Amino acid sequence: MTAFWTGFCALYRRELRQDAVSPLAYMFVASFISASVLLAFQVGGLFEAGRAELVAFFQFHPWLFVVLMPALSMRAWSDEARTGTLETLLALPVPTSALVLAKFMAAWTLACLMLVLTTPLWLGLSLLGPVDHGATLTAYLGSCLLAGAYLSIGMAASAVSRSQVLSFVIALGVSFLATAAGLPLVSSTLAAFLPLPLTEALASLSMLDAFAGFERGVIEARGLSYFLAVIALGLCLTGLWVDTKRGGQA
Amino acid sequence: MLKLDGLTKTYAGQRGVNSISFEIAPGEVVGFVGPNGAGKTTTLRMIAGTLEPDQGTVQLMGHDVWSNRQTAQAVMGYLPEHAPLYDDMTPRSYLDFLLSARGVARKQRPDLLTQAAKRTQIEDMLDRRIEGLSKGYRRRVALAGALAHDPPVLILDEPRDGLDPNQKRVTQALIRELSPGRIILISTHQLDEVANLCSRLILIAEGQVRADQSPADFAAQDPEGRIEDVFYRLTAGPSPTASNPDEAQT
């Protein structure tokens, strides 16, 4: 194996093991499952709709992820910098890209596992009526990509500062803006100050807009490329900021 | 061969390390001494590939640390300042993580791990959480991490800091045992350690090399052979005194 893969696999396993023994990871998973199910039933009216579909469940994911993904990623790099273990990682004969990807993939694995743990809701619903399994699976795929996009923003924010709190606040702010840009209220407010094409362009960059197709059970090339682009951008920024630490500037 | 040529690092307009050059051949144990803030750790970090120099080069066994970083880091064991560790791991899992990240085959890892644990005398603590270890054990776990892959070059930043006298003696014996055929560079404040252990002493102050000679020749600059007085004379002030540093300041 190359230095990239040996380094990636070693750090990926380490991060997963850290999550496995961390009460925070369990609390995080429990919080997501309980909040998403509660919102789906209490606010989304999952049963009241009278249809065997999970739109009421998925529609809250962007807003839950705005808070939960920065919480999941805030420690990733800031803790390494604070405790000095970043020095140990940077002294390994491993490319920075492998370290960045390993941390991201480990956090994304946990996020995907968290989504998998909500599948009993899907199974339960399928007992009550005919569920469009293809559409539901697509919505799960979209939710995984959405979580990845928010995580990559969180990873980049975590690489900026040694403070977990500051990393969380930065990631929360950026994630909120990237989500709220698609709300009609925000679009109409912005339209009062900005030219219409620019307002529309900003709205089209929203996570909500990219997730909408998946939510309906449609894999749209635009949504897919949007999420992959956000993930790639977040990881590139993380790599740049981690390498900046080698330059002694951050 | 470890070769530094014109190594320079500037922080906020101030030169932390100013054009440092020296060479170390295999078999040499070099004590790297200097007052706080002299640039020792900065120099070691540039050698270890965790901090990029503004100017100058570091060649390690023929590989440039910055243009061929991973190859150079593969032949190096590095103990960073303050011996940072992952508190959630055990020494066994930590050493296994470092070995696997370095691409050591799974079959070889247990033997190398046992050897490093035996050398640093941490066998009885291998399966305890690092979080609960004493400062001395933590330092020895970090040292085990630096030498676990049996590297030909060891860069050690304060390896005996926090150790009790017995542990210091053990560590000194270990470094002596490791020295044949290896390049060992030790940053330390303990001049007695340099006198007893090192074949050569490099003194830096204000980012520049002030002395590069054997500890015996260094001490011989003082009429009474006091290494501390020579250190003081070369680092603390322009007016030297043979025996009382306080007088020199008045």
Side-chain angles (χ1 to χ4, degrees):
Chain A
M1 278 208 287
T2 63
F4 180 94
W5 287 112
T6 52
F8 171 84
C9 292
L11 187 58
Y12 176 73
R13 279 197 302 267
R14 196 212 94 73
E15 294 288 315
L16 282 186
R17 280 193 197 126
Q18 184 188 31
D19 288 337
V21 297
S22 164
L24 274 174
Y26 292 100
M27 276 175 60
F28 172 83
V29 171
S31 303
F32 171 75
I33 294 172
S34 50
S36 60
V37 171
L38 201 69
L39 283 169
F41 282 104
Q42 297 297 320
V43 184
L46 187 72
F47 279 155
E48 284 81 351
R51 290 186 300 272
E53 59 180 28
L54 283 166
V55 174
F57 169 68
F58 288 109
Q59 67 178 329
F60 296 105
H61 283 197
W63 300 106
L64 284 172
F65 290 168
V66 162
V67 179
L68 288 175
M69 294 305 145
L72 180 61
S73 56
M74 66 183 182
R75 285 181 62 189
W77 292 102
S78 57
D79 225 30
E80 300 275 4
R82 187 183 56 79
T83 59
T85 46
L86 183 61
E87 188 78 356
T88 308
L89 288 183
L90 296 182
L92 290 170
V94 173
T96 306
S97 54
L99 303 175
V100 169
L101 194 62
K103 278 188 171 279
F104 170 75
M105 289 303 291
W108 202 12
T109 303
L110 182 65
C112 291
L113 179 70
M114 178 186 84
L115 284 166
V116 167
L117 291 174
T118 64
T119 51
L121 190 65
W122 176 10
L123 296 174
L125 210 62
S126 67
L127 296 175
L128 300 174
V131 175
D132 183 343
H133 293 296
T136 309
L137 196 63
T138 304
Y140 266 107
L141 172 69
S143 198
C144 284
L145 288 166
L146 183 71
Y150 284 118
L151 274 177
S152 74
I153 293 172
M155 288 280 162
S158 177
V160 170
S161 169
R162 284 170 176 242
S163 160
Q164 285 186 36
V165 176
L166 187 58
S167 299
F168 175 77
V169 170
I170 293 170
L172 184 73
V174 174
S175 299
F176 180 78
L177 288 176
T179 309
L183 289 176
L185 177 68
V186 176
S187 296
S188 59
T189 309
L190 286 174
F193 305 99
L194 300 171
L196 189 62
L198 187 60
T199 311
E200 284 174 354
L202 283 173
S204 69
L205 288 176
S206 161
M207 296 272 192
L208 291 176
D209 205 46
F211 186 55
F214 289 97
E215 218 177 327
R216 292 192 308 270
V218 181
I219 301 177
E220 291 175 338
R222 200 184 68 82
L224 188 65
S225 52
Y226 171 86
F227 286 132
L228 293 178
V230 171
I231 290 170
L233 180 67
L235 296 186
C236 285
L237 286 174
T238 309
L240 280 174
W241 275 315
V242 171
D243 266 338
T244 305
K245 293 175 197 303
R246 283 192 208 270
Q249 291 153 19
Chain B
M1 181 75 82
L2 170 63
K3 185 179 176 186
L4 278 65
D5 187 12
L7 213 56
T8 300
K9 186 72 189 177
T10 305
Y11 288 113
Q14 297 254 322
R15 288 211 160 170
V17 171
N18 190 1
S19 196
I20 282 188
S21 301
F22 57 77
E23 291 180 14
I24 304 176
E28 282 192 293
V29 179
V30 177
F32 197 47
V33 297
N36 287 334
K40 299 189 297 294
T41 294
T42 300
T43 306
L44 261 51
R45 290 186 64 201
M46 288 191 281
I47 296 171
T50 63
L51 185 67
E52 192 167 5
D54 295 332
Q55 286 171 37
T57 57
V58 183
Q59 295 270 332
L60 191 58
M61 313 298 267
H63 307 292
D64 185 278
V65 170
W66 285 97
S67 62
N68 203 358
R69 184 173 57 80
Q70 288 161 45
T71 313
Q73 285 180 325
V75 296
M76 184 196 310
Y78 173 50
L79 172 67
E81 189 183 25
H82 307 310
L85 296 167
Y86 292 108
D87 283 348
D88 57 294
M89 298 179 101
T90 63
R92 188 187 299 282
S93 58
Y94 175 69
L95 296 177
D96 189 67
F97 160 65
L98 292 180
L99 288 169
S100 62
R102 287 184 170 279
V104 176
R106 189 185 291 266
K107 280 182 185 172
Q108 291 177 300
R109 278 185 239 153
D111 288 343
L112 288 171
L113 197 152
T114 307
Q115 186 186 37
K118 198 178 263 183
R119 279 174 159 169
T120 50
Q121 300 192 349
I122 57 167
E123 301 122 296
D124 50 340
M125 296 289 167
L126 272 176
D127 295 309
R128 292 201 189 179
R129 268 171 74 99
I130 288 172
E131 192 178 32
L133 297 183
S134 68
K135 195 177 176 185
Y137 268 110
R138 291 176 67 93
R139 179 69 54 167
R140 283 186 279 162
V141 171
L143 182 60
L147 53 89
H149 57 295
D150 210 15
V153 181
L154 280 170
I155 310 295
L156 309 175
D157 201 346
E158 302 280 356
R160 300 203 310 170
D161 189 36
L163 301 182
D164 67 34
N166 293 337
Q167 293 167 347
K168 281 182 181 177
R169 186 183 282 249
V170 169
T171 307
Q172 189 168 309
L174 170 62
I175 292 171
R176 206 167 269 143
E177 178 199 321
L178 292 170
S179 64
R182 280 194 173 84
I183 291 168
I184 303 180
L185 179 61
I186 304 169
S187 166
T188 181
H189 283 112
Q190 296 169 24
L191 296 173
D192 60 322
E193 179 179 23
V194 177
N196 292 331
L197 181 64
C198 299
S199 55
R200 191 171 142 202
L201 174 154
I202 296 174
L203 170 72
I204 70 163
E206 294 171 343
Q208 289 182 308
V209 174
R210 295 279 173 89
D212 183 354
Q213 55 202 141
S214 72
D217 289 345
F218 184 80
Q221 293 175 55
D222 180 72
E224 295 174 38
R226 292 183 189 177
I227 198 166
E228 292 85 0
D229 286 351
V230 183
F231 179 90
Y232 178 82
R233 190 181 303 158
L234 293 173
T235 59
S239 72
T241 181
S243 56
N244 189 348
D246 294 333
E247 285 176 14
Q249 291 175 317
T250 57

